[in-house]
Amino acid sequence: MYQREQYLNEIISKKDNGRIKIITGLRRSGKSVLLFQLYRDWLIREGIHEDHIIALALDVLENAKYRNPIELDKYVRGRMVADGEKYYIFIDEIQFVAEIQNPYVDNPDARISFIDVVLGFMQMKNADVYVTGSNSRMLSSDILTQFRDRGDEIRVYPLSFAEFYREYKASLSSIRAMIPDLELSERF
């Protein structure tokens, strides 16, 4: 797995800043890996207990129930214990959350969406909120507008040529070390 240090450092610099961290980018650009593996592992190395990291991938069928904003809110709040410690909330593919009619209001036009849920999490003093969304289904500028300037966007791009080449060269070196007689070209 490629480390993506630039993005990892960017997300680390925004930790506990009181704003929603919105990780956007093309499909398959590494948003989920950045959040669920690289950043999660960094938090654990920094002493955050695993049970204080609430991670939910909404593109997985077993989590389809949490595409309902009310169920998502109940799930996350139910995982948080009043222990005075910070919780890190990771929601992958937030655009999968449906917009529903507000069941608490008689107005059929009153709606609840993931925006309401995430803004609610942001108001909690012991929560640090991170969401990912694919540009194919969620326009990042629209999301930032809806979060009313309460979010920090981290745009993740596919590997640059420099990143690809560094990884390619490292792979060639590893293969050469294992099989010294193998003829490998560095040309593409």
Side-chain angles (χ1 to χ4, degrees):
M1 168 178 35
Y2 192 75
Q3 292 301 306
R4 309 300 305 262
E5 293 293 328
Q6 168 192 346
Y7 298 118
L8 181 58
N9 290 335
E10 189 174 350
I11 204 169
I12 289 168
S13 75
K14 297 177 185 317
K15 177 181 175 283
D16 297 327
N17 70 356
R19 297 170 59 89
I20 301 159
K21 276 58 83 179
I22 307 157
I23 304 166
T24 61
L26 299 171
R27 290 177 52 94
R28 312 298 304 155
S29 61
K31 300 177 299 291
S32 301
V33 170
L34 173 65
L35 187 59
F36 281 72
Q37 292 177 9
L38 300 176
Y39 186 57
R40 180 183 171 281
D41 291 349
W42 181 85
L43 285 172
I44 291 169
R45 283 193 308 272
E46 292 295 308
I48 303 300
H49 296 283
E50 285 188 58
D51 61 346
H52 281 71
I53 300 171
I54 301 168
L56 193 61
L58 294 175
D59 59 343
V60 178
L61 183 58
E62 71 187 57
N63 294 327
K65 172 181 181 179
Y66 305 114
R67 295 177 188 174
N68 176 313
I70 294 172
E71 294 297 326
L72 174 61
D73 188 72
K74 283 182 197 175
Y75 172 78
V76 171
R77 289 177 190 271
R79 297 268 322 268
M80 298 174 76
V81 178
D83 60 4
E85 295 198 26
K86 182 78 76 172
Y87 282 81
Y88 296 86
I89 302 168
F90 299 171
I91 304 172
D92 190 30
E93 302 294 353
I94 192 71
Q95 76 276 2
F96 277 93
V97 175
E99 183 175 285
I100 64 169
Q101 182 178 346
N102 185 335
Y104 308 107
V105 178
D106 285 337
N107 180 352
D109 294 330
R111 313 294 286 168
I112 298 175
S113 72
F114 73 84
I115 302 293
D116 302 297
V117 175
V118 173
L119 288 175
F121 295 155
M122 191 189 84
Q123 298 302 315
M124 300 167 72
K125 295 194 183 312
N126 66 332
D128 197 21
V129 185
Y130 302 77
V131 298
T132 73
S134 175
N135 286 352
S136 67
R137 299 213 26 216
M138 179 177 84
L139 296 173
S140 58
S141 61
D142 293 342
I143 295 307
L144 289 174
T145 299
Q146 290 192 20
F147 281 133
R148 298 179 200 97
D149 196 35
R150 297 180 198 161
D152 287 329
E153 182 180 20
I154 300 164
R155 286 191 181 184
V156 176
Y157 296 97
L159 288 178
S160 68
F161 182 76
E163 289 172 316
F164 167 78
Y165 190 69
R166 240 186 334 269
E167 188 66 18
Y168 176 79
K169 291 279 283 186
S171 295
L172 278 179
S173 298
S174 298
I175 293 169
R176 282 193 182 108
M178 290 186 292
I179 311 169
D181 296 334
L182 185 64
E183 293 287 326
L184 293 173
S185 172
E186 290 189 25
R187 295 176 48 204
F188 312 163

